[in-house]
Amino acid sequence: MAENASITPIEKLGPEYEEALALSGLIDDVEDTTPLEPRRYRYTEGESICSAGDTAECLWIIVNGSVAIKLNGQTLFVRRRNEVIGEQHLAGNGYQRVYDLVANESIVDVLVIDRTNIETHPEAGIIWRNIAKIISIKLRNTTRKTASLSRHLADDTRILHAYTNQYALSRRMQSGSEQQAEYLIERAIIWFSDVVGFSKFTLNTPPERVADIVQRFFNAQTSPVLDRGGHIDKFIGDGLMAFWVMKGKVEDASSICSDAVRAAEQSVKNVNEIRIGNEPLALRIGLHIGLVVSGDFGSATRHQFTMIGTEVNKAARLEQIHSEDILDGHSKLGSIRVSREFWNELDTVSRKKFSKKLTARAKNIGVMELFTN
């Protein structure tokens, strides 16, 4: 507002209303405000000031309380004391409101100024200039808020990707932001891996050193899995669960199983290159394919997208089999163990990599047939 703006007292409005009119910016540099004939109105919380689709015939200045600007029931902005609202839709002849304006507090006092009084005012050009300035300020502030929200959204997205996988995100998006991911029965490759003997180092090694090693061996596995189209389900201590979902034709399973094998081979190599002193780390991996139930599982207040079922348990037991569990076949277990069902899906070249056939007793599963490298 210009410092020398002249404000003509308006009968019966009272000082509070005059102040709101002056501070709103609408009458900056206007010599005579009398022709505007502002009128006082009071609303209670939840009452509609105007609705989308109404003809824009006036604007309002908030004297007390606040007003919510809504679109399809969602609050976009909240305007407060001494702010102008409803000005953006006055420029067009018979222009319609786009938003709902709703009283946002128990008592909301406003001044109403009709468009016709602005158009017929002797200083209409100045008032329209002031309206344009008000709109410009709001647009600038909105642009800043949008930029800030974009930064927050980017930060939130990075955090979200750090705590869940892309497949889980897509499933949740399909279910809607307020819904858990629906439960599906899917055919999937399940991967369980574990770093051999790492636990013995944890209590006698500085925590920062433990954290560094853990990050290194998880990075060593995560990159090959993601590079080959897999998804990380969760980290379990020094173990990892991952999966590939069979979405294409049945014959595509062979190609996806081969991708899982290549990811496993690279992970074993990567982890083996990590040493504690002169002792290299080693990795065990179990790979199985079968039908699983996927979706958001948990309590009413906290849940997580994952896969459950007998086939998931089989993959976990494959990784955990030790020499003493072997019933028949080669006594030496390789770093990668695959189930009979997984082996059946492999091409001839990949099958040759897993030429050792064994049967073993797996806890809570029974006798399993497996192949190892």
Side-chain angles (χ1 to χ4, degrees), residues 3 145 245 278:
E3 291 184 4
K145 289 179 180 178
V245 176
N278 288 323

Side-chain angles (χ1 to χ4, degrees), residues 316-331:
R317 297 309 181 197
L318 270 173
E319 178 271 310
Q320 295 167 0
I321 288 175
H322 294 83
S323 298
E324 56 267 28
D325 300 316
I326 298 172
L327 301 175
D328 185 40
H330 292 273
S331 59

Side-chain angles (χ1 to χ4, degrees), residues 222-267:
T222 298
S223 294
V225 169
L226 298 180
D227 289 345
R228 292 293 178 177
H231 303 281
I232 305 301
D233 182 87
K234 63 173 70 70
F235 301 106
I236 314 163
D238 54 5
L240 183 153
M241 176 182 170
F243 64 90
W244 284 255
V245 176
M246 305 289 108
K247 285 294 185 181
K249 300 177 181 178
V250 175
E251 53 266 29
D252 292 339
S254 175
S255 174
I256 300 175
C257 286
S258 294
D259 283 336
V261 166
R262 293 187 185 97
E265 291 171 333
Q266 187 62 52
S267 295

Side-chain angles (χ1 to χ4, degrees), residues 20-78:
L21 182 62
L23 295 179
S24 69
L26 181 68
I27 59 169
D28 287 0
D29 300 322
V30 175
E31 295 294 329
D32 184 10
T33 60
T34 305
L36 291 177
E37 298 180 357
R39 294 169 285 127
R40 296 181 297 177
Y41 275 85
R42 172 167 288 182
Y43 296 89
T44 58
E45 188 171 6
E47 284 189 329
S48 174
I49 297 173
C50 76
S51 301
D54 290 350
T55 302
E57 297 176 341
C58 65
L59 57 77
W60 298 266
I61 298 170
I62 303 171
V63 180
N64 287 303
S66 62
V67 174
I69 315 298
K70 297 192 173 189
L71 179 64
N72 298 326
Q74 298 294 317
T75 299
L76 304 180
F77 302 98
V78 175

